[in-house]
Amino acid sequence: MAIRWGLRGKSALALLLACLIALVPAALIGWQAIDDIRRHFANAYAENYTLLHMQRILAPVSRELALSQRFANSLTTRRWLANETDIRRQADFLEEAEGYRQDFSDHAYFIVANASGNYYFNDAGSANALRPSYRLSADDPDDRWYFHSVESGEPYNINVNVDTKLGVTNVWFNVIVRDAGRVLGMAGSGLDLSGFLDDFIRSDAQGIMPMIVDRNGALQAYPDAQRIAFSSGANAVSAEREQRVQSLLDTETQRAALTDVMHQAERAPGTIHTLLATLDGRPRLLSVGYMPELGWLMITALDIQAAQFLAPGWLWGMAGGLALLLACLLLAFIVATNRLIIGPLRRLQQSTQAIAGGDYSPQLPVRRHDEIGELSRAFSSMASQVEQHTQQLEHKVRQRTHELEQANARMALAQRQIEDSLEYASIIQRAILPSRQIADSLEHHYGVLWRPRDRVGGDFYVFRATPRGYLLGVVDCAGHGVPGALMTMLARAAIDHAILEAGEDDPAGILNATDRLSRELLREDELPPTIATNMDIGLVWADRQACTLTFAGAKMSLYASNGQDLQVQRGAKRAVAQKRRTTYRNATQPLHAGWTYTLCTDGFLDQAGGEHGFGFGNQRFEAMLVEYAQLPPEQQIARFETELVAYQGELPQRDDITVLSFRLQTSPTPFSEQDTPHRRPAPANTVSPRGEPSQEETPWTC
């Protein structure tokens, strides 16, 4: 009994410890949630406080600025400043200015005559007189505020300044007086700085400090008047480092962040932007708002730790109640879990360990009629089923393994047969290509790029040599792979027969005859609609005697370039054996000395690649022809293939590709046997396709 209770006690202790450990992250999450709530309230409080103070400042300051503007723009003011010595105008001005003085908050105004530099300041003590207080001088540093204000071109500015001659420190509203674009002087009023700070800046709220800065961060209103950047509003002096709001922050990173937030607030007036920074070694929440009417920014620094948003007594009482409730629930959960689950599961565990060791006849406790009893009975049934299934599975695995080995052997045999067949088909297809004939005839004056997409393809090229000239061509049959290769056999037979009918010197006749023969061999009514039998063909007859080229094409063009110019002879728009018939015609042109002529299938032009996976394209292909036109044809083909591979990248080849380039030299002298250098002797019994004796085939001169 003692042992049993000892085990239960250990289980209960372990469960209690696990629950206590689980409470740690719950407590941390709860504390984080409370802190987030506190920060949320702090953020809302700072934003609302900033908005409220912006409105409190904006109303009286805007009123004072508006009165100053009306006072400066008054007709009487402008007339008197235009002629300062006119006694009558001076009296009219003094009478009207008295009304403005009564409306100004400090019951005082100032006015500057630009012509004389006289500075007038009238308050309650000098209401009925108009005598200059002093005269402004451009050489006096204390008078820079006036001259910089005039030179700035701005209609007004709000400047916090100490007038040493008057002995007052005010927030001055300086409005330039102009008449027809001419500066007559300046007029405005001022608010006592001490009263302004007491009314709007010095706050009794715990943990909060408001301040006013200009767009550059120069302090215009701050609880400590010694840090205010006097005369910065009029650009008379540049604010020192300690007179800028950025100097209040501890790090350069935070200063840059505050400057960015100030720019954001300036771009979006009426909205409040916040920033968490360190001020005087304590974390502060800075909220920034912009007042475009004044050109000022309101910044509120809130000490989150000092400000009380949640009552501590209420917070700790709630935390204590929650802790007590959790403790009671935890104790009840431990007792119930240990009695109903842990004990029975431990006994069940001892029985299942025997099953795990391969013993499929365990005696499990099945007397209970609850979930534990059902679980025990299910384990007993499972043991017998697992034993049966294991035996059956082992038998099936051996059987399936044998079947897979046989299937793999058959697949390997079939794969070898397919590979052998494709290799044989590739050899046959290469045999129909006139590679030896064109090499014997043109030597190094030609180049061929032939790249089937698969082992075999639907592209091939044609070459015939006669004493009169050469027939060169490129054929692109519909399809690729094995079907395309079979089409090349039919196409080759049809073209050979067409050459016998039309002759090598008639490319258009060959195309028309091939079109007719193809339709006879492959009747449209006997073919499925999904099978394509058309062919793109380009044929060139190079006449040795006339020094001309005759071209006919079916959806294929002839390109010619000398490295500077490019000529493109377009073929017909319909392919051979296409559903709609057409008649192909020859196009004859002179053979240019040093020009390279090129035929190309659409597999090169349509090859996908590049950054966006687009086709190679005609424009890129034509530029490539011009760039390499002066190279020997074999080197041109090598460069073409390099360009194609680089453009293709990792993308697969989409279609069969064939490019044939050749260059035939020309000369003013006609062809003769003596003019043919590097001649190879022809076999004695060699005949041409028309039965004529064959002459040596080599590039010629005309």
Side-chain angles (χ1 to χ4, degrees):
M1 182 67 68
I3 295 176
R4 181 179 301 175
W5 279 107
L7 294 174
R8 291 183 178 179
K10 290 182 179 179
S11 300
L13 182 61
L15 183 60
L16 176 62
L17 182 60
C19 292
L20 290 176
I21 294 175
L23 284 177
V24 172
L28 293 176
I29 293 173
W31 179 258
Q32 183 64 38
I34 294 175
D35 188 65
D36 290 343
I37 293 173
R38 186 162 64 98
R39 290 181 181 275
H40 173 74
F41 280 117
N43 192 72
Y45 178 72
E47 290 183 1
N48 292 332
Y49 185 92
T50 304
L51 285 172
L52 177 61
H53 269 61
M54 286 172 60
Q55 294 303 319
R56 286 184 58 197
I57 293 172
L58 190 60
V61 174
S62 297
R63 174 185 175 278
E64 199 73 10
L65 177 61
L67 280 174
S68 299
Q69 289 175 322
R70 289 177 55 191
F71 175 54
N73 294 325
S74 169
L75 178 61
T76 303
T77 301
R78 287 186 282 118
R79 291 182 61 186
W80 173 62
L81 288 178
N83 190 354
E84 184 182 1
T85 59
D86 191 322
I87 303 300
R88 189 180 66 178
R89 292 185 180 184
Q90 186 183 82
D92 293 342
F93 165 76
L94 189 62
E95 180 181 358
E96 183 177 289
E98 179 63 19
Y100 282 101
R101 189 187 67 79
Q102 296 292 335
D103 290 336
F104 286 132
S105 297
D106 282 1
H107 305 297
Y109 67 87
F110 77 91
I111 190 164
V112 179
N114 190 65
S116 63
N118 290 332
Y119 181 93
Y120 300 88
F121 182 79
N122 277 19
D123 54 9
S126 57
N128 298 321
L130 191 63
R131 293 184 297 274
S133 300
Y134 57 88
R135 177 167 294 179
L136 298 173
S137 173
D139 299 327
D140 191 344
D142 292 337
D143 298 337
R144 291 178 184 172
W145 62 269
Y146 172 75
F147 297 100
H148 280 277
S149 298
V150 172
E151 293 171 359
S152 69
E154 298 291 335
Y156 68 89
N157 61 66
I158 303 175
N159 186 33
V160 182
N161 189 25
V162 179
D163 194 319
T164 57
K165 299 174 182 177
L166 296 177
V168 295
T169 303
N170 282 356
V171 180
W172 300 99
F173 299 87
N174 303 326
V175 182
I176 305 298
V177 181
R178 287 185 171 87
D179 187 16
R182 182 168 62 97
V183 176
L184 300 179
M186 179 184 291
S189 64
L191 296 176
D192 180 65
L193 179 62
S194 298
F196 183 83
L197 295 178
D198 291 337
D199 292 341
F200 304 115
I201 299 303
R202 296 188 178 99
S203 174
D204 296 331
Q206 185 178 6
I208 194 163
M209 180 179 65
M211 63 192 86
I212 296 176
V213 302
D214 64 7
R215 295 184 181 93
N216 299 318
L219 291 166
Q220 304 298 307
Y222 188 70
D224 184 4
Q226 295 182 355
R227 304 196 71 163
I228 295 177
F230 294 109
S231 294
S232 62
N235 296 321
V237 296
S238 299
E240 300 294 337
R241 178 181 176 87
E242 61 273 6
Q243 294 175 332
R244 296 182 181 272
V245 66
Q246 290 89 342
S247 66
L248 303 177
L249 304 184
D250 292 351
T251 64
E252 288 296 333
T253 302
Q254 294 182 357
R255 293 168 190 148
L258 176 58
T259 303
D260 184 60
V261 169
M262 291 168 58
H263 292 332
Q264 294 179 21
E266 185 177 348
R267 290 193 294 268
T271 61
I272 303 300
H273 299 263
T274 58
L275 171 69
L276 190 62
T278 304
L279 192 69
D280 297 330
R282 296 176 63 87
R284 301 292 180 91
L285 181 64
L286 303 181
S287 58
V288 183
Y290 179 62
M291 297 175 284
E293 299 86 353
L294 310 179
W296 283 351
L297 291 110
M298 180 74 185
I299 301 179
T300 302
L302 176 63
D303 190 342
I304 300 177
Q305 297 177 357
Q308 297 292 337
F309 304 106
L310 298 175
W314 174 81
L315 181 62
W316 288 112
M318 182 182 67
L322 287 175
L324 181 60
L325 177 61
L326 285 174
C328 294
L329 291 175
L330 181 61
L331 182 60
F333 176 74
I334 291 173
V335 173
T337 303
N338 188 62
R339 182 178 181 85
L340 299 176
I341 300 176
I342 295 179
L345 285 179
R346 187 179 295 108
R347 293 191 297 270
L348 183 60
Q349 179 185 9
Q350 295 172 356
S351 300
T352 54
Q353 286 177 351
I355 298 176
D359 184 6
Y360 294 101
S361 58
Q363 298 296 323
L364 298 176
V366 296
R367 290 174 296 175
R368 293 180 50 163
H369 298 287
D370 56 5
E371 288 79 2
I372 299 297
E374 293 179 0
L375 183 60
S376 301
R377 288 189 291 272
F379 262 89
S380 180
S381 175
M382 182 192 68
S384 60
Q385 292 182 8
V386 167
E387 183 179 12
Q388 296 176 7
H389 290 165
T390 301
Q391 296 175 357
Q392 295 175 2
L393 208 57
E394 290 176 351
H395 175 71
K396 288 184 178 180
V397 167
R398 289 192 296 270
Q399 183 180 1
R400 295 292 173 83
T401 302
H402 180 66
E403 293 175 355
L404 285 175
E405 290 175 351
Q406 292 180 340
N408 285 335
R410 290 194 297 270
M411 289 178 60
L413 178 61
Q415 180 68 24
R416 286 196 300 271
Q417 292 175 348
I418 293 173
E419 291 290 335
D420 293 343
S421 298
L422 288 176
E423 182 64 26
Y424 187 51
S426 176
I427 294 173
I428 294 175
Q429 187 173 42
R430 289 178 181 274
I432 70 170
L433 298 177
S435 54
R436 185 181 62 82
Q437 294 88 337
I438 193 172
D440 291 343
S441 299
L442 298 184
E443 295 182 347
H444 56 277
H445 295 283
Y446 82 100
V448 177
L449 172 61
W450 185 70
R451 285 181 54 177
R453 195 195 74 170
D454 305 311
R455 297 281 289 275
V456 292
D459 285 6
F460 68 97
Y461 55 94
V462 177
F463 179 79
R464 290 291 182 90
T466 71
R468 290 185 53 220
Y470 300 134
L471 174 67
L472 304 98
V474 172
V475 182
D476 180 5
C477 298
H480 36 70
V482 175
L486 293 176
M487 279 296 301
T488 62
M489 299 300 173
L490 293 176
R492 175 60 186 270
I495 291 175
D496 287 346
H497 195 277
I499 292 175
L500 292 176
E501 288 187 5
E504 294 86 347
D505 57 353
D506 187 4
I510 297 172
L511 291 182
N512 291 322
T514 303
D515 182 76
R516 175 178 53 78
L517 292 171
S518 299
R519 297 178 188 278
E520 293 175 357
L521 290 173
L522 301 171
R523 297 175 58 87
E524 184 177 349
D525 55 352
E526 297 177 354
L527 295 174
T530 58
I531 294 180
T533 59
N534 55 289
M535 295 173 282
D536 298 348
I537 305 177
L539 296 177
V540 177
W541 165 251
D543 196 308
R544 305 171 68 149
Q545 299 176 358
C547 288
T548 58
L549 292 180
T550 301
F551 170 74
K555 292 190 68 175
M556 191 175 297
S557 302
L558 173 65
Y559 301 88
S561 176
N562 62 348
Q564 296 179 352
D565 300 324
L566 177 70
Q567 296 179 359
V568 182
Q569 182 68 51
R570 304 293 180 187
K573 296 182 178 180
R574 292 194 179 92
V576 171
Q578 195 170 336
K579 186 175 181 180
R580 298 182 62 181
R581 296 174 180 267
T582 188
T583 301
Y584 302 99
R585 293 179 172 81
N586 290 323
T588 302
Q589 57 182 289
L591 178 63
H592 296 296
W595 285 58
T596 300
Y597 298 87
T598 304
L599 294 169
C600 175
T601 62
D602 58 2
F604 198 113
L605 305 176
D606 297 339
Q607 176 58 49
E611 181 180 356
H612 303 290
F614 296 154
F616 194 87
N618 287 309
Q619 185 175 1
R620 186 177 285 104
F621 180 75
E622 292 174 1
M624 182 179 66
L625 292 179
V626 175
E627 181 179 359
Y628 303 125
Q630 291 300 315
L631 296 177
E634 292 181 354
Q635 296 184 23
Q636 291 185 40
I637 291 297
R639 297 293 180 89
F640 295 167
E641 188 169 14
T642 301
E643 293 267 358
L644 179 65
V645 171
Y647 182 79
Q648 179 180 347
E650 299 297 328
L651 296 180
Q653 184 172 331
R654 297 176 56 177
D655 197 0
D656 302 322
I657 297 173
T658 302
V659 181
L660 173 61
S661 294
F662 59 92
R663 183 186 298 161
L664 304 178
Q665 303 301 319
T666 60
S667 173
T669 59
F671 170 78
S672 67
E673 293 186 358
Q674 289 77 11
D675 296 330
T676 307
H678 308 294
R679 177 184 300 272
R680 294 185 181 181
N685 55 353
T686 301
V687 295
S688 70
R690 294 184 174 181
E692 299 173 355
S694 175
Q695 298 185 21
E696 176 189 5
E697 305 298 343
T698 184
W700 74 89
T701 54
C702 293

